[in-house]
Amino acid sequence: MLLPLACTALFFPGFFRLCAWGLRRALPRWPLNDCLTFSSRLTSSIQAVLASVSGLLVMWTCDNVITCRHWLAQEYIWVLIPYMTYDLGAMYICYWYRNRGEDKKHTFTIFKNFLKHDRLMLTHHIFILTVLVPIAQVLRGERGDFFVGCIFAAEFSTPFVSLGRILILLKKQHTFLYKVNGILTLGTFLCFRILIFPFMYWSYSQKKGLRLLQTPFHIPIYCNVINSLLIMPQLYWFALLCKKAIQMFDTSQIKKAS
């Protein structure tokens, strides 16, 4: 417990700072905010790869979705806690450098605007730290490692989301790679952030011999509430991704017509 907690508490902010420092040295003409954004996206991608691989391993090896145990379902939580804490700080640092005035002070107005601008993502992170972590580590007992793995696997789409942002920083948003990555972002987000929830219900129904629509009525109500709270922001973000994809498609059509 203490080893992964301590190591990752040092690794994530340390890598973020080292990456930003390296970019400033390698690309001195880049704005500091772009270096910080690039670094935060790269750090998020590393965590997402670790989480999704851990989740897929748990899902793959758990033959019984209710009682099967896997050490990663317990241990990776101690990686997730420092990452979520770090990411809250990194989000504010990036926002401050993007919106600071000429006086370059940490004003209360900037902090208040940050809370308003990123309130959904902040709520998502705080919900994971204050609700999901206690449930995953204590309240669920020795059951449900498979479903914890499913939640970890939801991070599978994050590297593609981050790559899209990085390509925009590099002024590559009109390239073929950007369009392919956009398609992969939509596909992985749909599968791992939205369809993963009905998949969990289906997996439980198969084990219990229930119909899919009967499953919500045979599990604790708090499971349904938590799943609803988790999927709602995913649906909102997916709608935003679809909107961006449509805009990208319309732009390409205009270029073809011209």
Side-chain angles (χ1 to χ4, degrees), residues 25-68:
R25 293 290 298 272
L27 301 170
R29 294 185 179 181
W30 253 32
L32 178 56
N33 177 61
D34 288 351
C35 295
L36 293 171
T37 301
F38 188 104
S39 302
S40 67
R41 293 289 180 171
L42 186 57
T43 307
S44 296
S45 297
I46 292 173
Q47 189 281 143
V49 170
L50 294 174
S52 55
V53 169
S54 298
L56 291 173
L57 283 173
V58 173
M59 294 166 63
W60 182 264
T61 56
C62 284
D63 52 350
N64 188 314
V65 300
I66 301 174
T67 60
C68 183

Side-chain angles (χ1 to χ4, degrees), residues 2 4 7 11 30 33 56 83-84 95 99 101 114 119-120 122 126 158 177 182 197 200 207 223 233-235 238 253:
L2 293 179
C7 289
F11 172 76
W30 253 32
N33 177 61
L56 291 173
Y83 169 75
M84 286 294 173
Y95 184 87
N99 296 277
F114 165 70
R119 59 183 178 273
L120 184 57
L122 290 170
I126 294 172
T158 299
L177 175 61
F197 290 96
M200 288 192 289
K207 182 62 181 177
C223 294
Q234 312 305 328
L235 292 172
F238 184 69
Q253 287 295 93

Side-chain angles (χ1 to χ4, degrees), residues 167-181:
L167 290 173
I168 292 175
L169 290 176
L170 298 174
K171 311 298 183 184
K172 301 294 185 181
Q173 61 266 43
H174 301 298
T175 62
F176 177 72
L177 175 61
Y178 182 80
K179 295 176 181 179
V180 171
N181 182 71

